[in-house]
Amino acid sequence: MLLCQSRLRQTVVILVVASVLLWTVLGIGPSILKQTQTKPSPKPTPTPTPLYKPKPEPRPDFTDNFPQAARAQSPSDLPEVPPWNIPPQPHLEEKTPLFIGFTRNWRLLQQVVVSYIAAGWPPEDIYVVDNSGVMHSNQHGLLTLQNPFYLDYVRLTKIFRVNVLTTPTLLTFAQLQNFFTFTAIEKGWEHYFWAHMDSPAVSDEEYEGADQGYSSLYLRAVAIMRETMRPDYGELAARWFFYDRLSLVRTKAFVDVGGWDTLVPFYKTDCDMHERLWMKGFVIEDAKAGLIYDVAAAIDDLAMFYRRKPKAASRDDEPSTPLAGSPPSPVVKPDGRNSPEYHELLRKLDEMQRAKSENKAGRNTWQSAQQGGHGEPFYRDAAGFEQGMSMTMNFGQDVFEAKWGRGECNLRVAGLTDDDAWRLLPGWEKEEMQQKARKDRAREAKERLKKEKEVEKDGSG
């Protein structure tokens, strides 16, 4: 028994010594011991703090550009439309709705609305589409003038007496165009007009028609619409006034081609739509009804569009029973048609149009001219919104190129038809791809010929 215990102790000692020797040879024993005894607790990782872009340079505050309308309590407080541009009463038999889409910049929107009213368009036929994406915030007066998405709902509807339609959310350009068409279908309009909010319009007061002399921009636009309704005119899709600064649209044509492609949300979507209309044989032609400008700024006092100028009061202008001690008030009279005041208005608009086209910062700087509205409903960071819009526009151009296999607009010139959409290889027009295709076709032809000969040989044998 004692002998067994002695041998067991010897065995244990031998195993311990062998283990120590093994750890020492392999170099792991001391390190494990060291790690166990001296390993420090991990240092806490600092939480990343947000790093911000530099703050944009502050922009000048917006001021309202129609002081008389800002003070107005009713439509009668506005200047009167020039007598030569007053719309017909009663209304013409034709329905002449005019859509004007809005997302940002109240000054430009107000300018284009006033310009069409002063050019003779019946206010009740004008439909401002509030596409700001703020739902009913403008209708309820919850936004302020410095907010890019602000518009004065009360002034539009109660003072200017135009209509305001509100989109349920922010729409892209293509979606907005389809909203115009959808609304026309809902209201039973076979034709409608639409205008850009940065394109004020003016009647051409030097115009003399061959049949009836002078006509306002509105009456000339109606005459062009009547022309397109003749049975011999052809399948109308649209008439363009100064490209599409103002457009006349035949509702059915836009429906027949499936509307605007909303996968191409902004740039190139007009190219896609118009090319598809032409591919289907629809007619799109230029027309002229007046003067329409493309601007990035607004006149500081829109009363200029109404063409009134103050004149000294004459005895005939004084009230029959003036208040005692009160001086006679200056009387605001209309200037004449084609007057120096009219040409000053044209000079100002032409100057703004030239400034937009020559602006090295880009044509659409007006879209990011406001930075306010923080804390108001549906607030969006102005610079971030502009960046997101730019990214969406670039994406849309990539979609157009993927759809047609080319980035250029002239699809029909390239021999394409509506059935070619989404079926073309990227870069199919490049010479190396054309050469490869020719070689592939030649090889396939040889293979077919070889198979035909083999079949013929087997048949004869």
Side-chain angles (χ1 to χ4, degrees), residues 172-229:
T172 67
F173 180 82
Q175 291 169 334
L176 183 62
Q177 289 294 328
N178 284 340
F179 180 80
F180 294 167
T181 304
F182 173 82
T183 304
I185 295 170
E186 290 285 291
K187 294 183 176 293
W189 296 334
E190 295 183 2
H191 298 81
Y192 62 88
F193 294 83
W194 72 272
H196 290 271
M197 62 163 287
D198 56 347
S199 296
V202 180
S203 293
D204 183 356
E205 298 189 6
E206 296 184 272
Y207 168 80
E208 292 289 344
D211 298 329
Q212 56 184 12
Y214 174 79
S215 292
S216 67
L217 178 145
Y218 172 68
L219 290 178
R220 292 177 67 186
V222 172
I224 289 166
M225 183 176 72
R226 289 171 174 168
E227 174 189 337
T228 63
M229 296 169 69

Side-chain angles (χ1 to χ4, degrees), residues 62 106 137-138 141-152 370 372-377:
F62 258 35
W106 161 248
S137 297
N138 279 314
L142 302 179
L143 308 187
T144 57
L145 181 59
Q146 305 311 317
N147 191 316
F149 308 102
Y150 162 89
L151 62 74
D152 192 327
Q370 295 159 275
H374 191 274
E376 296 176 2

Side-chain angles (χ1 to χ4, degrees), residues 114-337:
V114 165
S115 76
Y116 275 98
I117 292 173
W121 214 284
E124 64 270 22
D125 287 4
I126 297 176
Y127 289 78
V128 171
V129 179
D130 180 358
N131 184 43
S132 58
V134 300
M135 299 190 181
H136 292 102
S137 297
N138 279 314
Q139 183 176 350
H140 296 154
L142 302 179
L143 308 187
T144 57
L145 181 59
Q146 305 311 317
N147 191 316
F149 308 102
Y150 162 89
L151 62 74
D152 192 327
Y153 185 91
V154 171
R155 188 180 306 177
L156 289 171
T157 57
K158 304 300 184 184
I159 305 301
F160 296 150
R161 295 179 296 114
V162 304
N163 307 280
V164 177
L165 305 177
T166 303
T167 60
T169 189
L170 179 68
L171 305 180
T172 67
F173 180 82
Q175 291 169 334
L176 183 62
Q177 289 294 328
N178 284 340
F179 180 80
F180 294 167
T181 304
F182 173 82
T183 304
I185 295 170
E186 290 285 291
K187 294 183 176 293
W189 296 334
E190 295 183 2
H191 298 81
Y192 62 88
F193 294 83
W194 72 272
H196 290 271
M197 62 163 287
D198 56 347
S199 296
V202 180
S203 293
D204 183 356
E205 298 189 6
E206 296 184 272
Y207 168 80
E208 292 289 344
D211 298 329
Q212 56 184 12
Y214 174 79
S215 292
S216 67
L217 178 145
Y218 172 68
L219 290 178
R220 292 177 67 186
V222 172
I224 289 166
M225 183 176 72
R226 289 171 174 168
E227 174 189 337
T228 63
M229 296 169 69
R230 296 197 319 257
D232 62 340
Y233 184 81
E235 287 291 323
L236 170 74
R239 296 295 296 270
W240 288 339
F241 304 82
F242 283 88
Y243 182 53
D244 68 351
R245 296 176 190 175
L246 170 67
S247 292
L248 166 64
V249 171
R250 179 168 171 254
T251 307
K252 184 177 183 300
F254 278 35
V255 171
D256 284 352
V257 297
W260 294 69
D261 188 347
T262 55
L263 296 177
V264 188
F266 291 99
Y267 292 132
K268 293 293 179 70
T269 195
D270 55 344
C271 170
D272 176 87
M273 179 62 168
H274 300 147
E275 287 287 326
R276 288 187 291 114
L277 286 164
W278 279 315
M279 289 172 181
K280 293 289 189 181
F282 287 105
V283 176
I284 301 177
E285 290 185 340
D286 292 330
K288 190 168 184 179
L291 307 173
I292 308 174
Y293 296 82
D294 180 24
V295 301
I299 292 173
D300 287 331
D301 189 349
L302 298 180
M304 192 174 190
F305 280 95
Y306 290 90
R307 311 281 309 293
R308 310 311 253 205
K309 61 179 181 181
K311 293 185 177 180
S314 67
R315 186 175 299 276
D316 294 336
D317 296 323
E318 294 178 13
S320 56
T321 54
L323 296 175
S326 62
S329 301
V331 176
V332 179
K333 289 187 174 182
D335 57 10
R337 182 162 65 87

Side-chain angles (χ1 to χ4, degrees), residues 350-399:
D350 187 66
E351 179 183 89
M352 293 194 301
Q353 179 170 259
R354 188 168 56 253
K356 179 176 183 177
S357 65
E358 295 174 356
N359 189 349
K360 294 181 179 179
R363 293 173 43 80
N364 294 322
T365 53
W366 60 270
Q367 294 178 347
S368 56
Q370 295 159 275
Q371 299 173 332
H374 191 274
E376 296 176 2
F378 296 93
Y379 170 77
R380 308 179 186 100
D381 177 82
F385 183 82
E386 182 66 17
Q387 181 180 359
M389 290 288 285
S390 178
M391 294 169 68
T392 306
M393 292 174 187
N394 292 336
F395 166 76
Q397 295 184 79
D398 292 340
V399 173

